[in-house]
Amino acid sequence: MRHALSLFAVLYGLWLALSGHYTPFLLAIGAVCTAFAVAVAMRMDVVDHEGHPIHLGLRTVLYWGWLTGQIVLSALAVSRIVLSPRLRIDPVLETVPASQKSDLGRVIYANSITLTPGTLSTSVTEDGIEVHALSRHGMEALRAGDMDRRVSAAEGEGEA
């Protein structure tokens, strides 16, 4: 029930932010539509700790902040490579270890790798993630394990 209430709050907040209309009638219609959407999600049995991971809480928000910084830094590095007259591209395809214990943690890690410009997750296994990197430097940054440790910490398994 906690997940359903949290999902309702998130969806209704999103509806309020996107609609921009705050008359009593529209607020009521928004609440009814949001409640209907949550009821359908509950009937489909997708309101759980993986579908709506409220248990991750503030750790995830802090991780998103760090990831945003990494995305910006990687975008600058990729731009530097692409705009360079010699195009210093050295593509690499390797498997990096993944220390996350849950499927959700591995998915967050794989998606974080893909969101970071210059790297792409191609396969996820129990032990690692196969990654295509635009340069060896990008692969070395992943092999250093900072992102892996931070995802594990956001998941609640380690220190940030």
Side-chain angles (χ1 to χ4, degrees):
M1 191 61 163
R2 185 173 62 128
H3 289 283
L5 291 174
S6 174
L7 180 60
F8 177 85
V10 168
L11 291 178
Y12 191 61
L14 180 64
W15 183 87
L16 285 173
L18 294 177
S19 74
H21 297 284
Y22 306 108
T23 63
F25 175 73
L26 290 176
L27 291 174
I29 292 296
V32 168
C33 290
T34 302
F36 178 73
V38 171
V40 168
M42 288 179 64
R43 175 90 168 123
M44 292 172 56
D45 199 27
V46 295
V47 181
D48 59 8
H49 72 281
E50 283 190 355
H52 186 63
I54 58 174
H55 64 282
L56 297 179
L58 182 62
R59 295 183 306 238
T60 304
V61 174
L62 295 173
Y63 174 72
W64 288 340
W66 176 83
L67 181 62
T68 300
Q70 295 304 302
I71 290 170
V72 169
L73 291 175
S74 293
L76 292 172
V78 169
S79 296
R80 196 174 313 119
I81 290 171
V82 170
L83 295 174
S84 170
R86 293 186 307 199
L87 264 181
R88 293 182 219 109
I89 295 176
D90 186 17
V92 182
L93 184 66
E94 292 181 16
T95 301
V96 295
S99 63
Q100 293 71 38
K101 304 298 182 212
S102 70
D103 291 338
L104 179 63
R106 283 188 291 280
V107 167
I108 291 171
Y109 186 33
N111 285 339
S112 296
I113 291 170
T114 299
L115 280 172
T116 308
T119 55
L120 176 70
S121 303
T122 59
S123 177
V124 179
T125 64
E126 293 286 326
D127 301 327
I129 299 173
E130 186 179 59
V131 177
H132 179 274
L134 188 62
S135 67
R136 291 210 178 271
H137 176 71
M139 186 61 73
E140 290 167 5
L142 279 175
R143 285 212 167 274
D146 192 29
M147 184 181 288
D148 181 50
R149 284 188 300 277
R150 288 179 183 267
V151 171
S152 292
E155 189 182 28
E157 298 176 8
E159 296 300 320

